[in-house]
Protein backbone atom coordinates (compact mmCIF):
# COMPACT_ATOMS: atom_id res chain seq x y z
CA UNK A 1 0.00 0.00 0.00
CA UNK A 2 1.14 3.57 -0.68
CA UNK A 3 1.05 4.78 2.91
CA UNK A 4 1.49 8.49 2.09
CA UNK A 5 -1.38 8.34 -0.39
CA UNK A 6 -3.58 6.84 2.34
CA UNK A 7 -2.69 9.46 4.94
CA UNK A 8 -2.34 12.54 2.74
CA UNK A 9 -5.04 14.36 4.69
CA UNK A 10 -3.67 13.60 8.18
CA UNK A 11 -1.07 15.44 10.23
CA UNK A 12 0.43 12.44 11.98
CA UNK A 13 -0.03 8.70 12.27
CA UNK A 14 1.71 6.78 15.05
CA UNK A 15 2.14 3.02 14.96
CA UNK A 16 2.49 1.58 18.47
CA UNK A 17 4.13 -1.81 18.83
CA UNK A 18 4.96 -3.08 22.31
CA UNK A 19 5.73 -6.83 22.30
CA UNK A 20 6.08 -6.90 26.12
CA UNK A 21 2.38 -6.11 26.64
CA UNK A 22 1.11 -7.22 23.23
CA UNK A 23 -0.04 -3.69 22.37
CA UNK A 24 -0.53 -3.14 18.66
CA UNK A 25 -2.24 0.16 18.01
CA UNK A 26 -2.50 3.05 15.57
CA UNK A 27 -3.00 6.65 16.68
CA UNK A 28 -4.20 8.91 13.87
CA UNK A 29 -4.14 12.69 14.30
CA UNK A 30 -6.12 14.27 11.52
CA UNK A 31 -6.19 17.99 12.20
CA UNK A 32 -5.20 20.19 15.15
CA UNK A 33 -6.31 23.58 13.83
CA UNK A 34 -8.90 24.03 16.57
CA UNK A 35 -6.79 22.51 19.35
CA UNK A 36 -5.10 19.25 20.30
CA UNK A 37 -6.70 16.25 18.66
CA UNK A 38 -9.24 14.15 20.54
CA UNK A 39 -11.11 10.96 19.74
CA UNK A 40 -11.84 7.70 21.51
CA UNK A 41 -9.88 4.49 21.42
CA UNK A 42 -11.53 1.56 19.68
CA UNK A 43 -10.43 -2.04 20.35
CA UNK A 44 -11.33 -4.57 17.68
CA UNK A 45 -9.82 -7.79 16.28
CA UNK A 46 -9.08 -6.24 12.87
CA UNK A 47 -8.29 -8.88 10.24
CA UNK A 48 -5.44 -6.86 8.73
CA UNK A 49 -3.30 -3.82 9.46
CA UNK A 50 -4.93 -2.04 6.49
CA UNK A 51 -8.40 -2.47 7.99
CA UNK A 52 -7.19 -0.99 11.28
CA UNK A 53 -5.41 1.91 9.55
CA UNK A 54 -8.46 2.71 7.40
CA UNK A 55 -10.68 2.79 10.47
CA UNK A 56 -8.25 5.07 12.34
CA UNK A 57 -7.96 7.44 9.36
CA UNK A 58 -11.70 7.56 8.65
CA UNK A 59 -12.77 7.96 12.28
CA UNK A 60 -10.14 10.61 13.10
CA UNK A 61 -11.24 12.73 10.14
CA UNK A 62 -14.85 12.40 11.32
CA UNK A 63 -13.72 13.69 14.73
CA UNK A 64 -12.26 16.86 13.18
CA UNK A 65 -15.70 17.70 11.78
CA UNK A 66 -17.51 16.68 14.93
CA UNK A 67 -15.27 18.89 17.10
CA UNK A 68 -15.71 21.84 14.75
CA UNK A 69 -19.47 21.41 14.76
CA UNK A 70 -19.61 21.12 18.56
CA UNK A 71 -17.42 24.21 18.85
CA UNK A 72 -14.99 22.56 21.28
CA UNK A 73 -11.30 23.49 21.41
CA UNK A 74 -10.14 20.22 19.90
CA UNK A 75 -9.20 18.76 16.57
CA UNK A 76 -9.77 15.24 15.29
CA UNK A 77 -7.92 12.08 16.24
CA UNK A 78 -8.59 8.43 16.95
CA UNK A 79 -6.82 5.36 18.28
CA UNK A 80 -7.47 1.79 17.26
CA UNK A 81 -6.05 -1.17 19.18
CA UNK A 82 -5.76 -4.37 17.17
CA UNK A 83 -7.03 -7.01 19.60
CA UNK A 84 -10.05 -8.79 21.00
CA UNK A 85 -11.60 -6.80 23.85
CA UNK A 86 -12.94 -10.03 25.38
CA UNK A 87 -9.51 -11.72 25.56
CA UNK A 88 -6.61 -9.34 25.05
CA UNK A 89 -7.13 -6.60 27.64
CA UNK A 90 -4.64 -6.18 30.49
CA UNK A 91 -3.82 -3.22 32.72
CA UNK A 92 -0.26 -3.30 31.29
CA UNK A 93 -1.54 -2.98 27.72
CA UNK A 94 -3.45 0.18 28.60
CA UNK A 95 -0.49 1.56 30.54
CA UNK A 96 1.65 1.02 27.45
CA UNK A 97 -0.93 2.87 25.37
CA UNK A 98 -0.85 5.66 27.96
CA UNK A 99 2.91 5.96 27.46
CA UNK A 100 2.53 6.30 23.69
CA UNK A 101 -0.15 8.96 24.18
CA UNK A 102 2.06 10.78 26.65
CA UNK A 103 4.90 10.78 24.12
CA UNK A 104 2.73 12.99 21.90
CA UNK A 105 3.21 15.71 24.46
CA UNK A 106 -0.37 16.98 24.64
CA UNK A 107 -1.20 16.85 20.93
CA UNK A 108 -3.79 14.09 21.42
CA UNK A 109 -6.36 13.17 24.10
CA UNK A 110 -8.26 9.90 24.15
CA UNK A 111 -10.92 7.95 26.05
CA UNK A 112 -13.41 5.15 25.43
CA UNK A 113 -15.00 3.99 22.22
CA UNK A 114 -16.30 0.63 20.99
CA UNK A 115 -14.52 -2.20 22.83
CA UNK A 116 -13.01 -0.08 25.62
CA UNK A 117 -14.40 1.15 28.95
CA UNK A 118 -13.64 4.07 31.28
CA UNK A 119 -12.01 1.53 33.65
CA UNK A 120 -9.43 0.63 30.95
CA UNK A 121 -8.36 4.25 30.90
CA UNK A 122 -7.91 4.38 34.65
CA UNK A 123 -4.77 2.29 33.86
CA UNK A 124 -3.72 4.55 30.97
CA UNK A 125 -4.14 7.59 33.26
CA UNK A 126 -1.24 6.37 35.36
CA UNK A 127 1.03 7.22 32.43
CA UNK A 128 -0.53 10.34 30.98
CA UNK A 129 -2.80 13.28 31.74
CA UNK A 130 -4.21 13.17 28.23
CA UNK A 131 -7.25 11.01 29.01
CA UNK A 132 -10.88 12.20 28.99
CA UNK A 133 -14.19 10.53 29.86
CA UNK A 134 -12.91 8.82 32.99
CA UNK A 135 -15.22 7.68 35.83
CA UNK A 136 -16.53 10.33 38.22
CA UNK A 137 -14.72 8.73 41.16
CA UNK A 138 -11.44 9.46 39.35
CA UNK A 139 -12.33 13.08 38.70
CA UNK A 140 -14.09 12.61 35.35
CA UNK A 141 -17.51 13.78 34.25
CA UNK A 142 -19.34 10.43 34.27
CA UNK A 143 -22.11 9.16 32.01
CA UNK A 144 -21.99 11.00 28.68
CA UNK A 145 -25.40 9.76 27.57
CA UNK A 146 -27.08 12.50 29.64
CA UNK A 147 -25.81 15.45 27.50
CA UNK A 148 -26.05 13.27 24.37
CA UNK A 149 -29.78 12.73 25.01
CA UNK A 150 -30.21 16.44 25.78
CA UNK A 151 -28.53 17.26 22.45
CA UNK A 152 -31.01 15.02 20.63
CA UNK A 153 -33.87 16.90 22.27
CA UNK A 154 -32.37 20.22 21.08
CA UNK A 155 -32.04 18.65 17.63
CA UNK A 156 -35.72 17.68 17.62
CA UNK A 157 -36.69 21.18 18.75
CA UNK A 158 -34.68 22.81 15.94
CA UNK A 159 -36.21 20.38 13.44
CA UNK A 160 -39.75 21.15 14.60
CA UNK A 161 -38.96 24.86 14.34
CA UNK A 162 -38.08 24.41 10.66
CA UNK A 163 -40.95 22.03 9.86
CA UNK A 164 -43.76 23.55 11.90
CA UNK A 165 -42.59 27.04 12.83
CA UNK A 166 -42.55 26.14 16.53
CA UNK A 167 -40.03 24.26 18.62
CA UNK A 168 -42.69 22.55 20.74
CA UNK A 169 -42.06 18.83 21.05
CA UNK A 170 -45.09 17.60 23.00
CA UNK A 171 -47.75 17.64 20.29
CA UNK A 172 -46.03 15.26 17.85
CA UNK A 173 -45.54 11.53 17.32
CA UNK A 174 -42.04 10.02 17.37
CA UNK A 175 -40.68 6.60 16.43
CA UNK A 176 -37.71 5.63 18.59
CA UNK A 177 -35.30 2.84 17.74
CA UNK A 178 -33.24 1.73 20.75
CA UNK A 179 -34.12 2.35 24.41
CA UNK A 180 -30.57 2.17 25.73
CA UNK A 181 -28.66 4.86 27.60
CA UNK A 182 -29.52 7.65 25.14
CA UNK A 183 -32.81 6.46 23.61
CA UNK A 184 -34.47 5.86 26.97
CA UNK A 185 -33.71 9.39 28.18
CA UNK A 186 -34.89 10.97 24.92
CA UNK A 187 -38.09 8.91 24.98
CA UNK A 188 -38.69 9.79 28.63
CA UNK A 189 -38.36 13.54 27.96
CA UNK A 190 -40.71 13.36 24.96
CA UNK A 191 -43.23 11.43 27.01
CA UNK A 192 -43.05 13.93 29.87
CA UNK A 193 -43.82 16.67 27.34
CA UNK A 194 -46.96 14.82 26.27
CA UNK A 195 -45.78 13.33 22.96
CA UNK A 196 -46.98 10.06 21.43
CA UNK A 197 -44.38 7.36 20.81
CA UNK A 198 -43.69 4.22 18.87
CA UNK A 199 -40.72 2.41 20.42
CA UNK A 200 -38.63 -0.63 19.62
CA UNK A 201 -35.62 -2.43 21.05
CA UNK A 202 -34.18 -5.89 20.48
CA UNK A 203 -34.02 -6.22 24.25
CA UNK A 204 -37.55 -6.90 25.57
CA UNK A 205 -36.48 -5.90 29.10
CA UNK A 206 -35.64 -2.41 27.85
CA UNK A 207 -39.15 -2.13 26.38
CA UNK A 208 -40.81 -3.41 29.57
CA UNK A 209 -38.82 -0.96 31.68
CA UNK A 210 -39.86 1.90 29.43
CA UNK A 211 -43.55 0.93 29.39
CA UNK A 212 -43.41 0.82 33.18
CA UNK A 213 -41.90 4.33 33.21
CA UNK A 214 -44.65 5.54 30.84
CA UNK A 215 -47.26 4.43 33.39
CA UNK A 216 -45.42 6.29 36.15
CA UNK A 217 -45.35 9.44 34.01
CA UNK A 218 -49.03 8.99 33.23
CA UNK A 219 -48.69 9.20 29.45
CA UNK A 220 -49.82 5.94 27.89
CA UNK A 221 -49.51 7.07 24.27
CA UNK A 222 -46.72 4.55 23.75
CA UNK A 223 -46.84 1.60 21.40
CA UNK A 224 -44.07 -0.98 21.26
CA UNK A 225 -43.45 -2.40 17.78
CA UNK A 226 -41.11 -5.15 16.77
CA UNK A 227 -37.96 -5.02 14.65
CA UNK A 228 -38.20 -3.39 11.25
CA UNK A 229 -41.82 -2.29 11.78
CA UNK A 230 -40.45 0.88 13.34
CA UNK A 231 -39.47 2.26 9.90
CA UNK A 232 -43.02 2.26 8.50
CA UNK A 233 -45.02 3.65 11.43
CA UNK A 234 -47.07 6.80 11.06
CA UNK A 235 -44.90 9.24 13.03
CA UNK A 236 -43.62 12.78 12.51
CA UNK A 237 -39.97 12.22 13.48
CA UNK A 238 -37.86 9.05 13.42
CA UNK A 239 -35.33 8.99 16.29
CA UNK A 240 -32.65 6.32 15.69
CA UNK A 241 -30.72 5.62 18.90
CA UNK A 242 -29.25 2.18 18.23
CA UNK A 243 -27.41 1.16 15.07
CA UNK A 244 -25.65 2.81 12.17
CA UNK A 245 -26.54 2.22 8.49
CA UNK A 246 -30.29 2.22 9.17
CA UNK A 247 -31.01 4.88 6.55
CA UNK A 248 -30.67 2.92 3.32
CA UNK A 249 -32.66 2.20 0.14
CA UNK A 250 -34.98 -0.29 1.86
CA UNK A 251 -35.81 1.83 4.90
CA UNK A 252 -36.16 5.12 2.98
CA UNK A 253 -38.79 3.41 0.82
CA UNK A 254 -41.04 2.78 3.82
CA UNK A 255 -40.36 5.86 5.98
CA UNK A 256 -43.46 8.03 6.43
CA UNK A 257 -41.86 10.56 8.78
CA UNK A 258 -41.04 14.18 7.97
CA UNK A 259 -37.65 14.10 9.71
CA UNK A 260 -34.88 11.87 11.08
CA UNK A 261 -33.15 13.11 14.25
CA UNK A 262 -31.26 10.71 16.50
CA UNK A 263 -28.07 9.83 18.32
CA UNK A 264 -26.94 6.73 16.43
CA UNK A 265 -23.55 7.11 14.78
CA UNK A 266 -23.26 6.80 10.97
CA UNK A 267 -27.01 6.60 10.36
CA UNK A 268 -26.70 6.94 6.58
CA UNK A 269 -25.51 3.73 4.96
CA UNK A 270 -23.82 5.96 2.37
CA UNK A 271 -23.60 9.74 2.00
CA UNK A 272 -25.89 9.78 -1.04
CA UNK A 273 -28.74 8.54 1.16
CA UNK A 274 -28.74 12.11 2.51
CA UNK A 275 -29.66 13.27 -1.02
CA UNK A 276 -32.36 10.62 -1.33
CA UNK A 277 -33.89 11.81 1.95
CA UNK A 278 -33.81 15.39 0.66
CA UNK A 279 -35.57 14.38 -2.58
CA UNK A 280 -38.21 12.64 -0.51
CA UNK A 281 -38.60 15.84 1.53
CA UNK A 282 -37.50 14.15 4.75
CA UNK A 283 -35.41 16.53 6.82
CA UNK A 284 -32.25 14.80 8.06
CA UNK A 285 -30.36 16.09 11.11
CA UNK A 286 -26.73 15.02 10.50
CA UNK A 287 -25.90 12.56 13.28
CA UNK A 288 -22.55 14.03 14.24
CA UNK A 289 -24.16 17.43 14.86
CA UNK A 290 -27.00 16.04 16.96
CA UNK A 291 -25.05 13.50 19.03
CA UNK A 292 -22.23 15.85 20.07
CA UNK A 293 -23.38 16.19 23.71
CA UNK A 294 -21.06 13.39 24.86
CA UNK A 295 -18.09 14.98 23.11
CA UNK A 296 -18.97 18.35 24.63
CA UNK A 297 -18.93 16.74 28.07
CA UNK A 298 -15.60 14.93 27.76
CA UNK A 299 -13.84 17.90 26.19
CA UNK A 300 -15.18 20.11 28.96
CA UNK A 301 -13.31 17.94 31.49
CA UNK A 302 -10.20 19.98 30.72
CA UNK A 303 -11.77 22.79 32.73
CA UNK A 304 -12.75 20.45 35.58
CA UNK A 305 -16.07 18.53 35.53
CA UNK A 306 -19.17 20.72 35.70
CA UNK A 307 -22.53 19.31 34.60
CA UNK A 308 -24.29 22.69 34.48
CA UNK A 309 -21.70 24.15 32.11
CA UNK A 310 -21.90 21.08 29.88
CA UNK A 311 -25.68 21.43 29.60
CA UNK A 312 -25.28 25.13 28.70
CA UNK A 313 -22.76 24.26 25.97
CA UNK A 314 -24.99 21.49 24.63
CA UNK A 315 -27.67 24.09 23.86
CA UNK A 316 -25.51 25.27 20.94
CA UNK A 317 -26.63 22.19 19.00
CA UNK A 318 -29.99 23.91 18.52
CA UNK A 319 -28.58 26.98 16.72
CA UNK A 320 -25.96 25.02 14.76
CA UNK A 321 -28.64 22.74 13.38
CA UNK A 322 -30.91 25.66 12.46
CA UNK A 323 -28.00 27.25 10.59
CA UNK A 324 -27.25 23.98 8.77
CA UNK A 325 -30.89 23.48 7.79
CA UNK A 326 -31.22 27.06 6.50
CA UNK A 327 -27.99 26.91 4.50
CA UNK A 328 -29.08 23.59 2.97
CA UNK A 329 -32.36 25.17 1.89
CA UNK A 330 -30.75 28.36 0.54
CA UNK A 331 -28.11 26.44 -1.45
CA UNK A 332 -30.37 23.53 -2.39
CA UNK A 333 -27.87 21.01 -1.00
CA UNK A 334 -28.41 18.10 1.37
CA UNK A 335 -28.15 18.74 5.09
CA UNK A 336 -25.12 16.41 5.13
CA UNK A 337 -23.29 18.59 2.60
CA UNK A 338 -24.45 21.71 4.44
CA UNK A 339 -23.06 20.36 7.75
CA UNK A 340 -19.73 19.47 6.15
CA UNK A 341 -19.41 22.97 4.69
CA UNK A 342 -20.40 24.51 8.03
CA UNK A 343 -17.55 22.61 9.73
CA UNK A 344 -14.98 23.36 7.01
CA UNK A 345 -15.79 27.08 7.25
CA UNK A 346 -15.42 27.02 11.02
CA UNK A 347 -11.99 25.36 10.76
CA UNK A 348 -10.91 27.73 7.97
CA UNK A 349 -11.98 30.82 9.92
CA UNK A 350 -9.85 29.79 12.91
CA UNK A 351 -6.72 28.74 11.11
CA UNK A 352 -4.82 31.73 12.42
CA UNK A 353 -5.38 30.64 16.03
CA UNK A 354 -3.17 27.60 16.28
CA UNK A 355 -0.11 26.47 14.45
CA UNK A 356 0.70 22.89 13.69
CA UNK A 357 2.99 22.17 16.64
CA UNK A 358 1.67 24.76 19.08
CA UNK A 359 -0.04 22.39 21.51
CA UNK A 360 2.13 22.11 24.55
CA UNK A 361 1.58 19.59 27.27
CA UNK A 362 0.02 21.17 30.31
CA UNK A 363 -1.53 20.07 33.58
CA UNK A 364 -4.84 18.44 32.84
CA UNK A 365 -7.11 20.79 34.71
CA UNK A 366 -5.38 23.99 33.73
CA UNK A 367 -7.67 26.39 31.90
CA UNK A 368 -6.42 27.44 28.49
CA UNK A 369 -6.49 31.09 27.46
P1 LIG B 1 -26.70 1.54 24.34
O1 LIG B 1 -25.90 0.34 24.00
O2 LIG B 1 -26.89 1.92 25.76
O3 LIG B 1 -28.18 1.41 23.71
C1 LIG B 1 -28.46 0.90 22.45
C2 LIG B 1 -29.83 0.24 22.52
O4 LIG B 1 -30.19 -0.14 21.20
C3 LIG B 1 -29.83 -1.03 23.38
O5 LIG B 1 -30.92 -1.00 24.28
C4 LIG B 1 -29.97 -2.15 22.36
O6 LIG B 1 -30.66 -3.28 22.85
C5 LIG B 1 -30.73 -1.44 21.25
N1 LIG B 1 -30.58 -2.06 19.93
C6 LIG B 1 -29.49 -2.62 19.37
N2 LIG B 1 -29.77 -3.08 18.13
C7 LIG B 1 -31.07 -2.76 17.92
C8 LIG B 1 -31.95 -2.97 16.82
N3 LIG B 1 -31.56 -3.61 15.71
N4 LIG B 1 -33.22 -2.51 16.91
C9 LIG B 1 -33.64 -1.90 18.04
N5 LIG B 1 -32.84 -1.69 19.11
C10 LIG B 1 -31.59 -2.12 19.04
O7 LIG B 1 -26.05 2.72 23.49
P2 LIG B 1 -26.25 4.28 23.70
O8 LIG B 1 -25.13 4.81 24.52
O9 LIG B 1 -27.66 4.57 24.09
O10 LIG B 1 -25.98 4.81 22.22
C11 LIG B 1 -26.99 4.71 21.21
C12 LIG B 1 -26.41 5.19 19.89
O11 LIG B 1 -25.97 6.55 20.02
C13 LIG B 1 -25.17 4.40 19.40
O12 LIG B 1 -25.17 4.38 17.99
C14 LIG B 1 -24.00 5.25 19.89
O13 LIG B 1 -22.85 5.05 19.10
C15 LIG B 1 -24.57 6.65 19.71
N6 LIG B 1 -23.93 7.66 20.56
C16 LIG B 1 -23.96 7.52 21.92
C17 LIG B 1 -23.34 8.48 22.71
C18 LIG B 1 -23.36 8.38 24.22
O14 LIG B 1 -22.98 9.36 24.87
N7 LIG B 1 -23.80 7.29 24.82
C19 LIG B 1 -22.71 9.59 22.13
C20 LIG B 1 -22.72 9.71 20.73
C21 LIG B 1 -23.34 8.73 19.96
Amino acid sequence: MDIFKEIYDHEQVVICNDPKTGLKAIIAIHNTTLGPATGGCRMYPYQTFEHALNDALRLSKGMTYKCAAADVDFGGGKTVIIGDPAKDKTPELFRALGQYIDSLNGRYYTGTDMGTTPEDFVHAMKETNCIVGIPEEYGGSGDSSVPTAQGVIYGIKATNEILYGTNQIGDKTYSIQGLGKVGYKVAETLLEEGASLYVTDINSEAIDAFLHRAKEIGNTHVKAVSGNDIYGVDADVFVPCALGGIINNETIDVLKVKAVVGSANNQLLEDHHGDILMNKQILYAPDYIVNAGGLIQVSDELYGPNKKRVMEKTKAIYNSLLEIYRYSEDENISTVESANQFCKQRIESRKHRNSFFSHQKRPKWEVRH
Side-chain angles (χ1 to χ4, degrees):
M1 90 195 279
D2 178 348
I3 191 100
F4 283 104
K5 197 164 164 228
E6 297 292 325
I7 62 166
Y8 72 103
D9 210 10
H10 288 65
E11 288 179 12
Q12 191 175 7
V13 177
V14 182
I15 295 169
C16 315
N17 181 32
D18 185 46
K20 274 203 307 296
T21 59
L23 176 72
K24 286 187 168 57
I26 302 168
I27 301 171
I29 295 180
H30 176 250
N31 187 298
T32 60
T33 304
L34 299 181
T38 192
C41 169
R42 183 168 280 198
M43 186 167 186
Y44 187 78
Y46 293 98
Q47 294 292 309
T48 64
F49 175 79
E50 280 81 359
H51 282 120
L53 179 63
N54 280 338
D55 225 17
L57 295 176
R58 182 177 64 85
L59 295 167
S60 57
K61 188 168 182 170
M63 283 307 297
T64 297
Y65 281 63
K66 192 165 176 172
C67 288
D71 206 10
V72 296
D73 298 329
F74 280 100
K78 201 84 185 182
T79 297
V80 299
I81 299 177
I82 303 169
D84 184 341
K87 292 196 298 222
D88 299 331
K89 280 185 184 178
T90 59
E92 292 72 29
L93 182 137
F94 282 92
R95 285 189 77 148
L97 180 70
Q99 288 175 8
Y100 276 104
I101 287 163
D102 207 56
S103 74
L104 294 168
N105 213 24
R107 295 193 70 233
Y108 171 64
Y109 286 70
T110 195
T112 62
D113 193 72
M114 212 170 77
T116 60
T117 65
E119 286 68 32
D120 296 329
F121 288 92
V122 170
H123 303 298
M125 270 172 76
K126 294 177 182 160
E127 307 290 344
T128 180
N129 282 329
C130 298
I131 303 292
V132 288
I134 47 180
E136 273 178 290
E137 55 274 30
Y138 287 89
S141 52
D143 184 1
S144 65
S145 67
V146 177
T148 302
Q150 190 56 44
V152 175
I153 294 293
Y154 283 124
I156 293 172
K157 286 186 171 186
T159 305
N160 287 356
E161 174 75 47
I162 295 289
L163 288 176
Y164 307 105
T166 161
N167 64 18
Q168 296 303 309
I169 54 176
D171 55 349
K172 303 281 177 301
T173 302
Y174 302 87
S175 46
I176 302 182
Q177 184 180 48
L179 291 168
K181 294 188 290 296
V182 179
Y184 184 98
K185 295 180 185 76
V186 172
E188 188 180 37
T189 305
L190 292 170
L191 214 54
E192 283 167 349
E193 292 289 324
S196 302
L197 307 183
Y198 289 96
V199 296
T200 191
D201 198 295
I202 47 167
N203 174 358
S204 61
E205 284 174 19
I207 295 189
D208 291 346
F210 188 71
L211 294 178
H212 177 75
R213 179 72 189 123
K215 274 198 192 135
E216 281 176 357
I217 293 171
N219 178 349
T220 50
H221 294 117
V222 186
K223 191 165 187 313
V225 298
S226 59
N228 291 345
D229 291 351
I230 197 74
Y231 300 116
V233 297
D234 216 347
D236 298 296
V237 181
F238 174 42
V239 187
C241 294
L243 308 167
I246 35 79
I247 302 295
N248 53 48
N249 292 341
E250 285 75 40
T251 58
I252 292 177
D253 256 1
V254 296
L255 281 179
K256 294 195 188 113
V257 290
K258 297 178 190 66
V260 177
V261 189
S263 75
N265 275 315
N266 306 318
Q267 289 166 31
L268 303 179
L269 185 63
E270 288 167 24
D271 272 0
H272 77 270
H273 289 112
D275 297 304
I276 304 179
L277 284 178
M278 181 170 92
N279 294 337
K280 221 184 147 184
Q281 295 193 316
I282 297 175
L283 194 55
Y284 173 63
D287 45 19
Y288 72 90
I289 306 289
V290 172
N291 70 19
L295 169 67
I296 291 170
Q297 172 160 302
V298 295
S299 49
D300 188 76
E301 282 184 10
L302 284 187
Y303 303 95
N306 183 310
K307 291 188 194 312
K308 198 160 161 256
R309 192 175 55 222
V310 169
M311 285 305 178
E312 269 308 304
K313 288 185 176 177
T314 303
K315 270 189 195 163
I317 290 174
Y318 179 83
N319 282 331
S320 298
L321 197 55
L322 281 183
E323 205 175 314
I324 287 162
Y325 282 153
R326 288 181 178 138
Y327 189 68
S328 131
E329 196 176 354
D330 292 349
E331 299 295 315
N332 196 25
I333 54 176
S334 74
T335 52
V336 178
E337 181 54 29
S338 173
N340 290 345
Q341 290 194 24
F342 174 84
C343 297
K344 278 185 196 157
Q345 279 164 17
R346 191 168 261 175
I347 295 166
E348 197 57 37
S349 69
R350 295 179 190 180
K351 262 196 166 147
H352 63 281
R353 274 217 213 147
N354 293 303
S355 65
F356 184 75
F357 283 112
S358 68
H359 310 298
Q360 296 299 312
K361 192 165 159 184
R362 59 188 168 269
K364 183 162 183 189
W365 309 119
E366 186 185 294
V367 176
R368 259 173 295 136
H369 296 288

